[in-house]
Amino acid sequence: MTTAHSGASGSEPEAASAIPCRSLEIAACLDELLASGEPRTGYDTLLHRAADVGLYDVVRAWSLSDTPATVDKMTARLLLPAEMLAALTQETAWSDDEALTALTTELPLAVRRYSTKQRFNRFGHTGCHGEDPVRR
């Protein structure tokens, strides 16, 4: 009995180490989807979808908060068009339920990362892209 227990405990760290890898995988996929300019994908599509379902303020709050709040699975399903969710599950080879579970935390973080990148111009300051802050 002791041998079986020690064998099981040896496999637990491997399972625990697989979780961050999966989070990195979905984070990379979300970053790619939000930055995509293809039709029916991207950050703008997410904002339009959020406005259509009455969650625009929630998504905008993610971009303004240092620690965006998590959402439930239904909210993640409402925000992502079926095409985006299908692309995400195909890219990660996860089931819809696994993807939605990961999206509850990763989607707000991805929106925060994307909006932070977009907010700063080439000089590292907020404002219009390409605006020289010295010339103000």
Side-chain angles (χ1 to χ4, degrees):
M1 286 187 185
T2 314
T3 309
H5 184 271
S6 63
S9 66
S11 64
E12 286 174 1
E14 292 173 12
S17 66
I19 293 171
C21 293
R22 295 190 88 176
S23 293
L24 291 174
E25 183 179 354
I26 198 162
C29 291
L30 281 172
D31 289 345
E32 185 179 319
L33 281 173
L34 289 176
S36 173
E38 297 176 18
R40 301 188 57 98
T41 61
Y43 180 72
D44 291 334
T45 301
L46 180 67
L47 285 180
H48 287 289
R49 179 92 172 180
D52 290 344
V53 296
L55 294 169
Y56 182 82
D57 292 336
V58 172
V59 175
R60 288 296 296 154
W62 294 340
S63 0
L64 302 173
S65 172
D66 288 336
T67 55
T70 61
V71 294
D72 58 4
K73 289 181 185 180
M74 183 53 106
T75 302
R77 185 179 295 277
L78 286 172
L79 287 173
L80 288 181
E83 297 84 17
M84 284 179 84
L85 186 58
L88 188 65
T89 56
Q90 182 181 12
E91 187 76 25
T92 58
W94 293 359
S95 68
D96 283 350
D97 191 54
E98 288 175 323
L100 287 171
T101 300
L103 285 171
T104 60
T105 56
E106 292 298 327
L107 184 60
L109 293 172
V111 168
R112 171 68 179 153
R113 281 191 306 271
Y114 178 80
S115 63
T116 302
K117 287 178 195 172
Q118 297 304 314
R119 238 186 292 162
F120 296 99
N121 63 19
R122 63 189 168 124
F123 299 102
H125 300 279
T126 58
C128 298
H129 290 284
E131 177 184 7
D132 188 345
V134 177
R135 300 182 113 196
R136 289 189 195 177

